Amino acid sequence: MFKTHIEQIDVWRGGRDGFHTYRIPALAVSNDNTILAFCEGRKYHRGDAGDIAMLVKRSTDGGASWSSQAVIWDDPGNTCGNPAPVVERENGTIHLLMTWNRGDDHEGDIISGSSNDTRRVFVTSSADDGLNWREPKEITGDVKLPDWTWYATGPGHGIQIRNGKHSGRLVIPCDHIEAETKDYYSHIIYSDDNGATWRLGGRAPQPQVNECEVVEISGGALLLNMRSYSPGERARQVAISVDGGITWTDQRSDPALIEPICQASIIGCSNKGPSESQLVLFANPASKTQRVNMTLRASLDDGDTWTSQITLHAGPSAYSDLAVAPDGRILCLYEGGESHPYEFLRLAFVELDAGH
């Protein structure tokens, strides 16, 4: 499935270009074949709270070279993060869903209700291949219920449904915490009008899941792949939707996709092999105990089984996002390092064997 030769380049390295740490990667490939890499620029430390800006770099040559970083959104002193991009196929608009909170509000404060403000949801977009971005627009009231405290978009890419009754729908994976129970849930938000408005979709049936990504599988169904906090397990959880993300069923653990409780990435791409089912690719730190061993896996049966895998970085590694390059190679932008997982954001280029 995977060719053994892997090219890799560092897109960001901590301590350079004005930021202490670069975290939370996301990828998108535009209609004009520009690769867009997004991340959080954490100004003074690598923690999740504080002064954090949303950044982007662009590549117009398939990832061989990259532009200087540009700031999409910076609210000095506060946290602008959780990039979740999606490209609208018809007009090429790139939508970027994000979250905001006060820099002095930590996650625990927001969850407990003792924070000064709450977690808010915003969207921006670019109509010129990621060169310029509109002023972020708040959509919290449309996609977050009043009794939800913590909220996250992605992190990582969303999708546009290609097949079935809901073809054209934009879907962004998200998660939230309920105020009374403190339970974690994955959910999606969606747009049926090319990103003009966003609505709240369905949540996972069972709690103790959060950061997630979504992939379209055979027949226009959706597979939601979720970070799991289930006691005694160290594996991803999945759920299925056959109505475009409005309801989710069949939530279960996937024991093959071990994790140390961390974000992961999943993507579908065309399958040129004998099977008519979707080729699904998955990346995460494949360990039950540590954020190490960034691994790319492949499934030829809509994620039911995982038959191929390749290690991208055996050392410390954490969050990632996947995309398909204009030349058909698989892209994985991931956090990694030698002494800890947050030293760089590195892009791996992985070739598939012909006839996969």
Side-chain angles (χ1 to χ4, degrees):
M1 173 65 69
F2 300 120
K3 292 187 177 179
T4 55
H5 176 69
I6 304 173
E7 295 181 22
Q8 305 204 47
I9 61 171
D10 289 353
V11 182
W12 278 282
R13 270 201 169 265
R16 300 177 182 176
D17 299 321
F19 291 88
H20 180 281
T21 298
Y22 299 96
R23 282 211 60 196
I24 320 301
L27 287 171
V29 178
S30 77
N31 284 3
D32 291 333
N33 290 331
T34 296
I35 303 172
L36 302 170
F38 304 88
C39 76
E40 294 181 3
R42 301 187 172 187
K43 294 182 182 177
Y44 304 116
H45 52 74
R46 63 176 183 251
D48 293 336
D51 200 341
I52 298 175
M54 181 67 69
L55 308 177
V56 66
K57 287 188 177 183
R58 304 169 68 253
S59 174
T60 58
D61 57 9
S65 63
W66 290 85
S67 69
S68 299
Q69 68 189 20
V71 177
I72 294 176
W73 190 22
D74 185 11
D75 183 14
N78 296 318
T79 300
C80 307
N82 274 80
V86 63
V87 179
E88 209 288 316
R89 290 192 305 270
E90 290 184 5
N91 57 32
T93 300
I94 305 158
H95 301 280
L96 180 64
L97 284 291
M98 308 172 287
T99 52
W100 174 97
N101 57 269
R102 283 177 54 128
D104 57 359
D105 282 342
H106 293 258
E107 182 175 354
D109 302 324
I110 296 172
I111 294 170
S112 69
S114 62
S115 55
N116 296 299
D117 206 314
T118 189
R119 189 84 151 172
R120 300 178 181 271
V121 190
F122 286 78
V123 61
T124 182
S125 61
S126 173
D128 60 3
D129 223 35
L131 286 168
N132 296 283
W133 296 85
R134 296 186 177 94
E135 185 74 17
K137 172 187 175 183
E138 184 171 4
I139 58 169
T140 308
D142 298 322
V143 299
K144 182 182 180 184
L145 296 183
D147 65 340
W148 293 358
T149 56
W150 186 255
Y151 194 107
T153 47
H157 66 275
I159 65 168
Q160 185 171 31
I161 298 175
R162 293 184 176 274
N163 301 298
K165 178 180 178 181
H166 302 287
S167 175
R169 173 172 289 178
L170 303 176
V171 179
I172 299 292
C174 301
D175 65 81
H176 65 274
I177 296 178
E178 295 184 348
E180 183 176 352
T181 63
K182 304 295 191 297
D183 281 338
Y184 295 70
Y185 285 95
S186 302
H187 72 273
I188 64 100
I189 63 177
Y190 70 97
S191 175
D192 283 334
D193 54 12
N194 301 327
T197 61
W198 293 87
R199 298 180 179 182
L200 180 62
R203 73 171 193 187
Q206 302 298 323
Q208 306 311 112
V209 288
N210 61 0
E211 292 174 329
C212 57
E213 287 199 3
V214 63
V215 63
E216 183 175 352
I217 55 176
S218 299
L222 302 181
L223 174 71
L224 193 65
N225 184 288
M226 302 168 283
R227 174 173 172 165
S228 174
Y229 293 80
S230 181
E233 295 180 352
R234 283 294 183 266
R236 303 290 291 181
Q237 290 196 41
V238 296
I240 298 291
S241 176
V242 295
D243 59 6
I246 303 304
T247 59
W248 296 90
T249 61
D250 301 323
Q251 185 173 340
R252 61 178 177 82
S253 293
D254 186 339
L257 301 183
I258 60 173
E259 69 163 6
I261 305 182
C262 189
Q263 184 264 7
S265 180
I266 194 166
I267 194 170
C269 58
S270 60
N271 181 8
K272 300 177 182 178
S275 172
E276 295 181 358
S277 61
Q278 176 81 296
L279 171 63
V280 178
L281 302 168
F282 173 85
N284 82 328
S287 167
K288 291 186 176 183
T289 58
Q290 301 179 70
R291 291 185 171 187
V292 296
N293 194 34
M294 180 57 62
T295 300
L296 179 64
R297 301 176 188 266
S299 170
L300 291 170
D301 56 8
D302 292 330
D304 286 341
T305 60
W306 301 90
T307 55
S308 301
Q309 69 179 57
I310 190 169
T311 299
L312 304 181
H313 180 68
S317 47
Y319 285 36
S320 63
D321 200 27
L322 292 167
V324 180
D327 64 4
R329 289 185 296 176
I330 305 305
L331 303 175
C332 183
L333 182 64
Y334 66 90
E335 300 175 339
E338 303 306 324
S339 61
H340 64 78
Y342 316 118
E343 297 176 21
F344 53 70
L345 289 179
R346 180 168 289 172
L347 184 65
F349 302 80
V350 182
E351 291 188 54
L352 299 174
D353 284 326
H356 61 264

